[in-house]
Amino acid sequence: MIILCAVFGRDDPASPLRRMAGAALAEHVEAGSDDAWRDDVLIAVSELVQNVGQHTGGGGELTLSLTAAGVLVEVADTAVGAPQVRHPGARQAGGRGLLLIDAMALAWGTRSGEAGKTVWALMPAPVTAVAIRAAV
């Protein structure tokens, strides 16, 4: 079940998309005693959106979906090259986004399409049939 679909530009900051994603999760997933999983989903949103701005020539589209396995974060862009996990040095400030996603996600990967690619991450979350609020 898709709960968010948002288009963004190359130079758009990730923070508004994080807020939209947080609001969509709050609206569609029942709150539990341990909501740390939400922070992990929002980190994945930020990292994947920022990668588009840093490594492609254009903007993209963020889609957030609820599945029986968790929350699927997908970011589509017009670049054709698959992202590469980097292993930055201890003093290097950036380059750890995909390492974070790899550590937090149940799975992640890239799908090629006619107009570019989609990078996706399946994030663990208590998204069961009981937890998903009925769309009214």
PDB file of all heavy atoms in Angstrom, residues 20-45:
ATOM      1  N   MET A  20       7.402  14.747   5.519  1.00  0.00           N
ATOM      2  CA  MET A  20       6.250  14.133   4.845  1.00  0.00           C
ATOM      3  C   MET A  20       6.204  12.628   5.112  1.00  0.00           C
ATOM      4  O   MET A  20       5.134  12.065   5.350  1.00  0.00           O
ATOM      5  CB  MET A  20       6.293  14.395   3.351  1.00  0.00           C
ATOM      6  CG  MET A  20       5.933  15.813   2.974  1.00  0.00           C
ATOM      7  SD  MET A  20       5.695  16.028   1.190  1.00  0.00           S
ATOM      8  CE  MET A  20       7.368  15.969   0.598  1.00  0.00           C
ATOM      9  N   ALA A  21       7.366  11.982   5.074  1.00  0.00           N
ATOM     10  CA  ALA A  21       7.424  10.542   5.329  1.00  0.00           C
ATOM     11  C   ALA A  21       7.016  10.242   6.771  1.00  0.00           C
ATOM     12  O   ALA A  21       6.256   9.299   7.029  1.00  0.00           O
ATOM     13  CB  ALA A  21       8.821  10.002   5.046  1.00  0.00           C
ATOM     14  N   GLY A  22       7.492  11.037   7.719  1.00  0.00           N
ATOM     15  CA  GLY A  22       7.113  10.845   9.119  1.00  0.00           C
ATOM     16  C   GLY A  22       5.627  11.012   9.331  1.00  0.00           C
ATOM     17  O   GLY A  22       4.993  10.233  10.059  1.00  0.00           O
ATOM     18  N   ALA A  23       5.041  12.015   8.680  1.00  0.00           N
ATOM     19  CA  ALA A  23       3.600  12.238   8.800  1.00  0.00           C
ATOM     20  C   ALA A  23       2.816  11.081   8.177  1.00  0.00           C
ATOM     21  O   ALA A  23       1.804  10.633   8.732  1.00  0.00           O
ATOM     22  CB  ALA A  23       3.217  13.562   8.144  1.00  0.00           C
ATOM     23  N   ALA A  24       3.277  10.579   7.039  1.00  0.00           N
ATOM     24  CA  ALA A  24       2.597   9.456   6.391  1.00  0.00           C
ATOM     25  C   ALA A  24       2.664   8.203   7.261  1.00  0.00           C
ATOM     26  O   ALA A  24       1.668   7.476   7.399  1.00  0.00           O
ATOM     27  CB  ALA A  24       3.216   9.189   5.020  1.00  0.00           C
ATOM     28  N   LEU A  25       3.805   7.954   7.884  1.00  0.00           N
ATOM     29  CA  LEU A  25       3.926   6.800   8.782  1.00  0.00           C
ATOM     30  C   LEU A  25       3.008   6.959   9.987  1.00  0.00           C
ATOM     31  O   LEU A  25       2.339   6.010  10.393  1.00  0.00           O
ATOM     32  CB  LEU A  25       5.377   6.620   9.234  1.00  0.00           C
ATOM     33  CG  LEU A  25       6.352   6.164   8.160  1.00  0.00           C
ATOM     34  CD1 LEU A  25       7.782   6.240   8.682  1.00  0.00           C
ATOM     35  CD2 LEU A  25       6.026   4.770   7.682  1.00  0.00           C
ATOM     36  N   ALA A  26       2.972   8.161  10.551  1.00  0.00           N
ATOM     37  CA  ALA A  26       2.106   8.405  11.714  1.00  0.00           C
ATOM     38  C   ALA A  26       0.641   8.213  11.361  1.00  0.00           C
ATOM     39  O   ALA A  26      -0.149   7.729  12.180  1.00  0.00           O
ATOM     40  CB  ALA A  26       2.344   9.819  12.248  1.00  0.00           C
ATOM     41  N   GLU A  27       0.275   8.566  10.141  1.00  0.00           N
ATOM     42  CA  GLU A  27      -1.121   8.453   9.711  1.00  0.00           C
ATOM     43  C   GLU A  27      -1.534   7.016   9.430  1.00  0.00           C
ATOM     44  O   GLU A  27      -2.676   6.633   9.665  1.00  0.00           O
ATOM     45  CB  GLU A  27      -1.336   9.297   8.450  1.00  0.00           C
ATOM     46  CG  GLU A  27      -2.750   9.251   7.919  1.00  0.00           C
ATOM     47  CD  GLU A  27      -2.930  10.088   6.667  1.00  0.00           C
ATOM     48  OE1 GLU A  27      -2.094  10.965   6.385  1.00  0.00           O
ATOM     49  OE2 GLU A  27      -3.926   9.847   5.965  1.00  0.00           O
ATOM     50  N   HIS A  28      -0.604   6.200   8.934  1.00  0.00           N
ATOM     51  CA  HIS A  28      -0.970   4.874   8.446  1.00  0.00           C
ATOM     52  C   HIS A  28      -0.520   3.698   9.306  1.00  0.00           C
ATOM     53  O   HIS A  28      -0.949   2.575   9.059  1.00  0.00           O
ATOM     54  CB  HIS A  28      -0.438   4.679   7.028  1.00  0.00           C
ATOM     55  CG  HIS A  28      -1.102   5.576   6.035  1.00  0.00           C
ATOM     56  ND1 HIS A  28      -2.368   5.353   5.565  1.00  0.00           N
ATOM     57  CD2 HIS A  28      -0.680   6.718   5.452  1.00  0.00           C
ATOM     58  CE1 HIS A  28      -2.704   6.307   4.715  1.00  0.00           C
ATOM     59  NE2 HIS A  28      -1.684   7.156   4.632  1.00  0.00           N
ATOM     60  N   VAL A  29       0.375   3.930  10.257  1.00  0.00           N
ATOM     61  CA  VAL A  29       0.869   2.822  11.080  1.00  0.00           C
ATOM     62  C   VAL A  29       0.587   3.134  12.538  1.00  0.00           C
ATOM     63  O   VAL A  29       0.951   4.205  13.023  1.00  0.00           O
ATOM     64  CB  VAL A  29       2.381   2.584  10.862  1.00  0.00           C
ATOM     65  CG1 VAL A  29       2.864   1.416  11.702  1.00  0.00           C
ATOM     66  CG2 VAL A  29       2.676   2.336   9.393  1.00  0.00           C
ATOM     67  N   GLU A  30      -0.047   2.212  13.217  1.00  0.00           N
ATOM     68  CA  GLU A  30      -0.353   2.395  14.633  1.00  0.00           C
ATOM     69  C   GLU A  30       0.933   2.591  15.417  1.00  0.00           C
ATOM     70  O   GLU A  30       1.927   1.915  15.181  1.00  0.00           O
ATOM     71  CB  GLU A  30      -1.101   1.170  15.189  1.00  0.00           C
ATOM     72  CG  GLU A  30      -2.469   0.952  14.602  1.00  0.00           C
ATOM     73  CD  GLU A  30      -3.494   1.973  15.070  1.00  0.00           C
ATOM     74  OE1 GLU A  30      -3.274   2.624  16.106  1.00  0.00           O
ATOM     75  OE2 GLU A  30      -4.499   2.130  14.369  1.00  0.00           O
ATOM     76  N   ALA A  31       0.908   3.524  16.346  1.00  0.00           N
ATOM     77  CA  ALA A  31       2.063   3.774  17.207  1.00  0.00           C
ATOM     78  C   ALA A  31       2.236   2.616  18.179  1.00  0.00           C
ATOM     79  O   ALA A  31       1.261   2.061  18.668  1.00  0.00           O
ATOM     80  CB  ALA A  31       1.881   5.079  17.966  1.00  0.00           C
ATOM     81  N   GLY A  32       3.461   2.249  18.428  1.00  0.00           N
ATOM     82  CA  GLY A  32       3.763   1.191  19.375  1.00  0.00           C
ATOM     83  C   GLY A  32       4.651   1.714  20.480  1.00  0.00           C
ATOM     84  O   GLY A  32       5.033   2.883  20.503  1.00  0.00           O
ATOM     85  N   SER A  33       4.978   0.843  21.403  1.00  0.00           N
ATOM     86  CA  SER A  33       5.823   1.257  22.516  1.00  0.00           C
ATOM     87  C   SER A  33       7.259   1.521  22.072  1.00  0.00           C
ATOM     88  O   SER A  33       7.956   2.310  22.671  1.00  0.00           O
ATOM     89  CB  SER A  33       5.790   0.201  23.616  1.00  0.00           C
ATOM     90  OG  SER A  33       6.262  -1.030  23.104  1.00  0.00           O
ATOM     91  N   ASP A  34       7.692   0.850  21.000  1.00  0.00           N
ATOM     92  CA  ASP A  34       9.043   1.045  20.491  1.00  0.00           C
ATOM     93  C   ASP A  34       8.950   1.542  19.053  1.00  0.00           C
ATOM     94  O   ASP A  34       8.724   0.777  18.126  1.00  0.00           O
ATOM     95  CB  ASP A  34       9.837  -0.255  20.545  1.00  0.00           C
ATOM     96  CG  ASP A  34      11.252  -0.087  20.022  1.00  0.00           C
ATOM     97  OD1 ASP A  34      11.705   1.060  19.859  1.00  0.00           O
ATOM     98  OD2 ASP A  34      11.896  -1.116  19.768  1.00  0.00           O
ATOM     99  N   ASP A  35       9.095   2.832  18.877  1.00  0.00           N
ATOM    100  CA  ASP A  35       8.997   3.420  17.548  1.00  0.00           C
ATOM    101  C   ASP A  35      10.352   3.786  16.963  1.00  0.00           C
ATOM    102  O   ASP A  35      10.436   4.615  16.050  1.00  0.00           O
ATOM    103  CB  ASP A  35       8.094   4.657  17.589  1.00  0.00           C
ATOM    104  CG  ASP A  35       6.627   4.299  17.674  1.00  0.00           C
ATOM    105  OD1 ASP A  35       6.277   3.139  17.367  1.00  0.00           O
ATOM    106  OD2 ASP A  35       5.831   5.160  18.039  1.00  0.00           O
ATOM    107  N   ALA A  36      11.432   3.168  17.442  1.00  0.00           N
ATOM    108  CA  ALA A  36      12.768   3.463  16.920  1.00  0.00           C
ATOM    109  C   ALA A  36      12.868   3.106  15.442  1.00  0.00           C
ATOM    110  O   ALA A  36      13.656   3.719  14.712  1.00  0.00           O
ATOM    111  CB  ALA A  36      13.822   2.700  17.719  1.00  0.00           C
ATOM    112  N   TRP A  37      12.060   2.167  14.983  1.00  0.00           N
ATOM    113  CA  TRP A  37      12.073   1.774  13.575  1.00  0.00           C
ATOM    114  C   TRP A  37      11.741   2.964  12.665  1.00  0.00           C
ATOM    115  O   TRP A  37      12.245   3.040  11.551  1.00  0.00           O
ATOM    116  CB  TRP A  37      11.099   0.622  13.315  1.00  0.00           C
ATOM    117  CG  TRP A  37       9.668   0.977  13.592  1.00  0.00           C
ATOM    118  CD1 TRP A  37       9.005   0.847  14.771  1.00  0.00           C
ATOM    119  CD2 TRP A  37       8.744   1.564  12.674  1.00  0.00           C
ATOM    120  NE1 TRP A  37       7.718   1.308  14.649  1.00  0.00           N
ATOM    121  CE2 TRP A  37       7.524   1.746  13.374  1.00  0.00           C
ATOM    122  CE3 TRP A  37       8.815   1.943  11.335  1.00  0.00           C
ATOM    123  CZ2 TRP A  37       6.405   2.306  12.766  1.00  0.00           C
ATOM    124  CZ3 TRP A  37       7.693   2.491  10.740  1.00  0.00           C
ATOM    125  CH2 TRP A  37       6.507   2.661  11.456  1.00  0.00           C
ATOM    126  N   ARG A  38      10.909   3.901  13.156  1.00  0.00           N
ATOM    127  CA  ARG A  38      10.552   5.075  12.346  1.00  0.00           C
ATOM    128  C   ARG A  38      11.800   5.903  12.020  1.00  0.00           C
ATOM    129  O   ARG A  38      11.957   6.392  10.902  1.00  0.00           O
ATOM    130  CB  ARG A  38       9.543   5.956  13.069  1.00  0.00           C
ATOM    131  CG  ARG A  38       8.168   5.379  13.163  1.00  0.00           C
ATOM    132  CD  ARG A  38       7.252   6.354  13.917  1.00  0.00           C
ATOM    133  NE  ARG A  38       6.071   5.695  14.397  1.00  0.00           N
ATOM    134  CZ  ARG A  38       4.904   5.688  13.751  1.00  0.00           C
ATOM    135  NH1 ARG A  38       4.788   6.325  12.608  1.00  0.00           N
ATOM    136  NH2 ARG A  38       3.871   5.056  14.244  1.00  0.00           N
ATOM    137  N   ASP A  39      12.674   6.067  13.006  1.00  0.00           N
ATOM    138  CA  ASP A  39      13.913   6.820  12.776  1.00  0.00           C
ATOM    139  C   ASP A  39      14.751   6.158  11.694  1.00  0.00           C
ATOM    140  O   ASP A  39      15.341   6.846  10.856  1.00  0.00           O
ATOM    141  CB  ASP A  39      14.718   6.949  14.063  1.00  0.00           C
ATOM    142  CG  ASP A  39      14.034   7.814  15.106  1.00  0.00           C
ATOM    143  OD1 ASP A  39      13.234   8.690  14.718  1.00  0.00           O
ATOM    144  OD2 ASP A  39      14.301   7.613  16.301  1.00  0.00           O
ATOM    145  N   ASP A  40      14.814   4.821  11.698  1.00  0.00           N
ATOM    146  CA  ASP A  40      15.573   4.106  10.672  1.00  0.00           C
ATOM    147  C   ASP A  40      14.985   4.344   9.283  1.00  0.00           C
ATOM    148  O   ASP A  40      15.716   4.552   8.314  1.00  0.00           O
ATOM    149  CB  ASP A  40      15.617   2.613  10.978  1.00  0.00           C
ATOM    150  CG  ASP A  40      16.437   2.283  12.213  1.00  0.00           C
ATOM    151  OD1 ASP A  40      17.161   3.165  12.715  1.00  0.00           O
ATOM    152  OD2 ASP A  40      16.336   1.135  12.689  1.00  0.00           O
ATOM    153  N   VAL A  41      13.663   4.328   9.174  1.00  0.00           N
ATOM    154  CA  VAL A  41      13.007   4.600   7.893  1.00  0.00           C
ATOM    155  C   VAL A  41      13.346   6.014   7.427  1.00  0.00           C
ATOM    156  O   VAL A  41      13.679   6.231   6.255  1.00  0.00           O
ATOM    157  CB  VAL A  41      11.480   4.406   7.991  1.00  0.00           C
ATOM    158  CG1 VAL A  41      10.785   4.892   6.727  1.00  0.00           C
ATOM    159  CG2 VAL A  41      11.132   2.944   8.261  1.00  0.00           C
ATOM    160  N   LEU A  42      13.292   6.969   8.340  1.00  0.00           N
ATOM    161  CA  LEU A  42      13.568   8.362   7.964  1.00  0.00           C
ATOM    162  C   LEU A  42      15.030   8.572   7.588  1.00  0.00           C
ATOM    163  O   LEU A  42      15.343   9.387   6.711  1.00  0.00           O
ATOM    164  CB  LEU A  42      13.138   9.301   9.088  1.00  0.00           C
ATOM    165  CG  LEU A  42      11.628   9.268   9.391  1.00  0.00           C
ATOM    166  CD1 LEU A  42      11.299  10.222  10.532  1.00  0.00           C
ATOM    167  CD2 LEU A  42      10.798   9.554   8.167  1.00  0.00           C
ATOM    168  N   ILE A  43      15.938   7.838   8.203  1.00  0.00           N
ATOM    169  CA  ILE A  43      17.351   7.895   7.808  1.00  0.00           C
ATOM    170  C   ILE A  43      17.498   7.365   6.382  1.00  0.00           C
ATOM    171  O   ILE A  43      18.197   7.960   5.555  1.00  0.00           O
ATOM    172  CB  ILE A  43      18.250   7.110   8.792  1.00  0.00           C
ATOM    173  CG1 ILE A  43      18.350   7.868  10.115  1.00  0.00           C
ATOM    174  CG2 ILE A  43      19.635   6.872   8.188  1.00  0.00           C
ATOM    175  CD1 ILE A  43      18.997   7.068  11.231  1.00  0.00           C
ATOM    176  N   ALA A  44      16.817   6.266   6.076  1.00  0.00           N
ATOM    177  CA  ALA A  44      16.876   5.713   4.719  1.00  0.00           C
ATOM    178  C   ALA A  44      16.326   6.719   3.706  1.00  0.00           C
ATOM    179  O   ALA A  44      16.906   6.897   2.631  1.00  0.00           O
ATOM    180  CB  ALA A  44      16.105   4.392   4.647  1.00  0.00           C
ATOM    181  N   VAL A  45      15.218   7.378   4.042  1.00  0.00           N
ATOM    182  CA  VAL A  45      14.662   8.412   3.159  1.00  0.00           C
ATOM    183  C   VAL A  45      15.718   9.484   2.901  1.00  0.00           C
ATOM    184  O   VAL A  45      15.999   9.840   1.757  1.00  0.00           O
ATOM    185  CB  VAL A  45      13.378   9.029   3.761  1.00  0.00           C
ATOM    186  CG1 VAL A  45      12.987  10.310   3.032  1.00  0.00           C
ATOM    187  CG2 VAL A  45      12.235   8.024   3.746  1.00  0.00           C
TER     188      VAL A  45
END
